[in-house]
């Protein structure tokens, strides 16, 4: 199945990252992954579940209410040509040491 995939930890409340293996195992057990051609991830959020199905060569449709999640989904699900290394993306996941008083200093 899917093992040792790298997916950036998002700190996203409601992410299905921990449920990913459970979802895949149970779909395979009760339906069969070989019987599925496409997946509609209706509350895609961080796009974790949709990304797993993309890795399994399934057609994926992602949907979410937030515009931010649209861009995350596009970068993970639609893009098939550009690959970023861990070094490329790691700065985006560093703690912001300047976050204190950001709102009061800027707004």
């Amino acid at each position: 199945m899917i093992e040792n995939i790298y997916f950036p930890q998002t700190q996203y409340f409601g992410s299905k990252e921990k449920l990913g293996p459970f979802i895949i195992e149970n779909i395979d057990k009760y339906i069969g992954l070989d019987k599925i051609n496409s997946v509609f991830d209706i509350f895609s959020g961080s796009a974790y579940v949709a990304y797993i199905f993309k890795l399994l060569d399934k057609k994926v449709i992602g949907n979410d209410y937030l515009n931010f999640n649209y861009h995350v989904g596009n970068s993970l699900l639609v893009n098939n040509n550009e690959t970023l290394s861990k070094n490329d993306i790691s700065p985006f996941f560093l703690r912001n040491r300047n976050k204190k008083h950001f709102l009061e200093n800027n707004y």
Side-chain angles (χ1 to χ4, degrees):
M1 199 98 28
I2 298 287
E3 294 179 17
N4 301 321
I5 68 166
Y6 176 72
F7 193 85
Q9 190 171 13
T10 60
Q11 305 289 323
Y12 191 72
F13 185 74
S15 174
K16 295 177 272 314
E17 183 176 355
K18 290 183 180 179
L19 293 173
F22 173 83
I23 292 169
I24 297 299
E25 287 171 17
N26 281 281
I27 287 175
D28 193 33
K29 180 178 178 179
Y30 294 106
I31 300 171
L33 288 172
D34 56 328
K35 295 179 182 174
I36 296 174
N37 297 319
S38 60
V39 175
F40 181 31
D41 190 359
I42 192 166
F43 303 110
S44 57
S46 65
Y48 180 80
V49 172
Y51 185 69
I52 289 175
F53 281 101
K54 177 184 176 178
L55 294 177
L56 292 170
D57 292 324
K58 308 299 180 187
K59 178 181 177 183
V60 176
I61 301 167
N63 181 67
D64 201 274
Y65 178 76
L66 297 175
N67 189 37
F68 168 79
N69 293 333
Y70 164 80
H71 293 291
V72 170
N74 251 358
S75 65
L76 291 172
L77 305 174
V78 176
N79 174 27
N80 288 319
N81 300 320
E82 297 294 326
T83 302
L84 300 176
S85 70
K86 286 184 182 182
N87 289 337
D88 290 331
I89 65 170
S90 63
F92 297 107
F93 297 95
L94 295 175
R95 285 188 164 260
N96 182 355
R97 305 241 182 254
N98 299 318
K99 71 179 179 182
K100 291 182 181 180
H101 310 292
F102 176 80
L103 288 176
E104 69 185 61
N105 289 338
N106 293 289
Y107 298 100

